[in-house]
Amino acid sequence: MHDKIVILTGAGISAESGLGTFRDVDGLWTKYDLEEVATPEGFARNPDFVHEFYNARRANCAGAAPNAAHAALARLERDHPGEVVIVTQNVDNLHERGGAAHVIHMHGQLDQALCAACGHRWPAPAVMNTADPCPACAAPATRPDVVWFGEIPYHMDAIMAHLSGCAIFAAIGTSGEVYPAAGFVDLATRAGAHTVELNLEPSSVVSAFAETRFGPASQVVPAWVDSLLSP
Ligand code: APR
């Protein structure tokens, strides 16, 4: 039985692709009030503003390219004899565009749309508007298919099952500020996994990790993957 590896990623893995993080010096939450653009209440108050926010992020993402860290994880997924599961907090599609085949988006995806009336999901257009009718029920109730603060992250049962059976757990490019993701390292440790944090600087939960590798993801992630794949 080969080692199962579960990898949690955050905004830091996409930073060198030009996408902003949230809590760094020039992060998104230093420019926008998350209550206004990343909560159901904010969306109810001003849907046009929220659609504009995600339309801008969708355009930013379309113009970005995956970096060496995304490519290294795709190589690990392809060449590691055991199962590799990428759980991302990111709503961008750079893991997929970097070649990863099995990505779990626990906070949803920018390139997906959701109807708040009937629950229908479909590929999001580049620009979404409040008045857009749902393709299935025609209600003007479309929203980005992303998980806002106060909402339940997606695929949690599957994520818990992966964590309970992994031999290695890595967290890459995440500040450890948002739960439940920040608590995954504790679950992996309880499952007996070796845990490693790969980040530009120590996260809020760095003390929970057995191993740390600090530096830009485009450098530390390929080196870590090489260490796992070399005999
Ligand atoms: N390489 C590696 N790590 C980096 C890099 C880089 N080039 N640049 C920044 N980082 C690290 C930062 O040091 C920080 O610890 O990435 C982390 C980014 O943290 P956040 O901005 O808090 O992003 P994240 O942890 O993904 O946020 C989690 O919060 O707002 C919600 O839903 C949103 O998914 C997001 C969640």
Side-chain angles (χ1 to χ4, degrees):
M1 178 70 174
H2 295 292
D3 283 352
K4 175 172 185 172
I5 303 175
V6 175
I7 299 161
L8 171 69
T9 64
I13 199 170
S14 298
E16 291 162 270
S17 296
L19 299 189
T21 62
F22 295 96
R23 295 172 184 82
D24 286 326
V25 168
D26 56 352
L28 277 173
W29 298 152
T30 66
K31 299 169 188 157
Y32 292 90
D33 175 356
L34 68 85
E35 294 293 336
E36 295 306 311
V37 293
T39 63
E41 297 78 11
F43 184 64
R45 274 195 300 274
N46 192 342
D48 292 345
F49 184 59
V50 174
H51 274 304
E52 276 170 36
F53 174 70
Y54 286 97
N55 290 339
R57 292 183 66 192
R58 202 170 290 113
N60 198 16
C61 183
N67 63 60
H70 297 106
L73 293 188
R75 177 161 58 92
L76 181 66
E77 191 187 60
R78 190 183 59 239
D79 298 345
H80 177 64
E83 188 181 4
V84 175
V85 181
I86 299 171
V87 179
T88 187
Q89 300 172 90
N90 301 339
V91 292
D92 65 58
N93 59 359
L94 295 183
H95 279 300
E96 291 86 350
R97 287 163 56 195
H102 182 192
V103 183
I104 298 175
H105 283 270
M106 64 180 290
H107 289 169
Q109 297 168 256
L110 269 179
D111 55 12
Q112 285 261 65
L114 169 65
C115 175
C118 74
H120 178 59
R121 284 182 166 84
W122 68 100
V127 176
M128 293 186 72
N129 300 294
T130 308
D132 293 345
C134 165
C137 76
T142 65
R143 55 171 280 183
D145 187 16
V146 299
V147 177
W148 286 325
F149 287 96
E151 296 183 324
I152 311 291
Y154 294 160
H155 312 298
M156 287 305 292
D157 291 346
I159 294 169
M160 292 294 128
H162 287 307
L163 288 169
S164 65
C166 71
I168 298 172
F169 172 76
I172 303 174
T174 182
S175 60
E177 295 282 335
V178 175
Y179 287 80
F184 289 174
V185 59
D186 297 330
L187 296 172
T189 301
R190 276 209 287 280
H194 172 69
T195 57
V196 51
E197 174 173 278
L198 299 97
N199 211 53
L200 193 60
E201 58 200 12
S203 77
S204 304
V205 291
V206 66
S207 59
F209 288 86
E211 179 189 358
T212 55
R213 291 173 175 246
F214 296 132
S218 65
Q219 294 169 28
V220 297
V221 176
W224 176 63
V225 168
D226 288 345
S227 74
L228 289 174
L229 293 180
S230 57

